[in-house]
Amino acid sequence: MTLKQRLQAAGIVTAPGVYDALSALLVEQAGFQAAYLSGASIAYTRFGRPDIGFLSLDDVASVTRNIRERCPTLPLMVDADTGFGNALNVMQTVRALERAGASAIQLEDQAMPKRCGHLDGKSVIGTAEMAGKIRAACDARRSDDTLIIARTDAVAVEGMDAALERAERYADAGADVLFVEALRSRADMATAIARLGARAPLLANMVEGGKTPVLPAQELEEIGFRIAIFPGGTVRALSFALRSYLHSLEGHGTTTPYLDRMLSFQALNDVIGTPEMLALGKQYE
C-alpha cells in the first residue's frame, strides 16, 4: 500500500525516525506502516553534528537509495529541508529523491542556513516564495503517488495566525500534507486542525524535549492528525544505549556484563537476512 493510499484509509500513520538502511529495516520488522527519514538524524549520525544546515541533496539522496534498496515497499517520508535552494533547486531535489525512492518529500519555509524546528533563532522566507517552491515541487514529481509535504516554521517567527495562513497558501499551491512545526500546546494543535484539517492531512512532529507536547499517536488521532512522526527518538535511544554500552566496556574491559542487552551474533544475522543471502548465493555456485 502506498502512503497516499494509507492516508485515505482510517487511522493515524505512526512513523518512527530512521537514518540508514538498518534503522529502516528494524522499523519495518517492528510492523510500522511508514518511516520518516530525518534530516537531523542524518546530520547526527553521518557527521556527528547538529541540524543547522550541513546536509546536501546528495547526502539525503544517498541514504534514501540505501533504505529503498533494503526496504522496497516501506513508505518513506524524506525530509528535504528547504529543498536546497530556490524553486529550480527544489525541482532537482524532488526528481532526485523520487528516483531514490521517496514516497513523500518534505519541504520547509525556513531561510538558509536552516536549523532544527525546535531550536530558537529561525527565520523564514516569504510566503509567496515558498508557495512557488511548492508548485515547483508538484510540477517536478513524476508520479501522483509521490506526496509533497509542506512545513511552515512561522509559528516561532511570525505567530500562530501567520503560520496557519501560510499553511493555507501552501495547500493552495498543491501540497498534499501540511506540517505546522513547533505548535506549543494541545490547544494550538486543535486550532491548527480546525482551520486546516479540511484542506489536507496534517502531520504532528513529536520531538522529545522540544517545543510541542509529546502525545501518544492515539491522542493525536483524536485531535485530528493523520500522521505522527517521532523523528529523533531513534537516534536518542541509540545514543543512550551506546553510551551505556561503552561505559560498561570501558569499566569492565569486556562486553560480557552487557550481553543480555545486546543481540547475539546469530540474532543480528537473522535480522539483516544473512541466512537468506547465503542461500541465494548457493543458487549461483
Side-chain angles (χ1 to χ4, degrees):
M1 181 182 294
T2 67
L3 181 61
K4 184 176 182 178
Q5 291 169 332
R6 178 62 186 82
L7 287 174
Q8 293 168 350
I12 194 168
V13 176
T14 303
V18 298
Y19 55 87
D20 65 3
L22 177 60
S23 58
L25 179 63
L26 291 169
V27 164
E28 184 176 59
Q29 291 177 348
F32 288 95
Q33 296 180 317
Y36 180 86
L37 177 54
S38 159
S41 293
I42 297 174
Y44 301 156
T45 57
R46 178 166 285 199
F47 303 126
R49 294 293 187 183
D51 181 24
I52 53 174
F54 286 129
L55 293 187
S56 70
L57 172 57
D58 286 346
D59 294 324
V60 180
S62 174
V63 178
T64 302
R65 282 192 297 270
N66 291 340
I67 291 173
R68 182 53 68 218
E69 191 280 330
R70 189 62 185 89
C71 304
T73 62
L74 178 67
L76 182 65
M77 291 172 269
V78 177
D79 177 4
D81 288 346
T82 65
F84 306 103
N86 62 18
L88 296 180
N89 299 118
V90 164
M91 297 182 83
Q92 177 66 15
T93 293
V94 168
R95 289 169 183 148
L97 294 180
E98 189 177 39
R99 284 195 304 270
S103 308
I105 298 164
Q106 176 191 302
L107 301 165
E108 65 194 49
D109 59 6
Q110 282 197 57
M112 287 294 291
K114 61 89 62 183
R115 60 179 59 200
C116 171
H118 292 257
L119 291 175
D120 294 327
K122 297 183 292 183
S123 59
V124 293
I125 63 175
T127 303
E129 181 182 355
M130 182 60 182
K133 290 169 77 168
I134 295 298
R135 290 196 302 273
C138 293
D139 288 345
R141 61 184 168 185
R142 290 176 169 83
S143 172
D144 288 340
D145 286 332
T146 302
L147 304 182
I148 303 300
I149 302 172
R151 165 177 149 177
T152 178
D153 284 73
V155 170
V157 182
E158 301 175 342
M160 183 72 168
D161 288 341
L164 299 182
E165 172 64 26
R166 279 174 171 263
E168 288 181 328
R169 292 282 301 277
Y170 303 163
D172 291 340
D176 301 292
V177 176
L178 299 176
F179 174 2
V180 183
E181 175 64 300
L183 294 168
R184 304 303 176 91
S185 66
R186 197 184 190 284
D188 284 351
M189 294 179 183
T191 297
I193 291 292
R195 183 158 170 181
L196 303 171
R199 301 295 306 275
L202 262 69
L203 178 152
N205 185 20
M206 299 289 97
V207 176
E208 301 82 2
K211 298 182 182 300
T212 302
V214 176
L215 303 178
Q218 180 60 44
E219 189 170 344
L220 293 169
E221 180 178 354
E222 291 168 359
I223 295 170
F225 288 98
R226 299 290 291 113
I227 301 172
I229 62 171
F230 293 79
T234 306
V235 174
R236 276 187 273 280
L238 165 73
S239 300
F240 184 89
L242 186 53
R243 268 205 321 197
S244 175
Y245 162 80
L246 293 170
H247 179 76
S248 176
L249 177 58
E250 193 279 331
H252 296 97
T254 176
T255 58
T256 300
Y258 212 84
L259 290 178
D260 62 345
R261 287 165 283 177
M262 299 167 58
L263 289 178
S264 69
F265 178 77
Q266 183 59 52
L268 180 57
N269 277 292
D270 288 342
V271 165
I272 61 177
T274 303
E276 292 82 0
M277 291 294 289
L278 294 176
L280 178 63
K282 287 186 178 295
Q283 297 180 24
Y284 301 100
E285 290 179 354

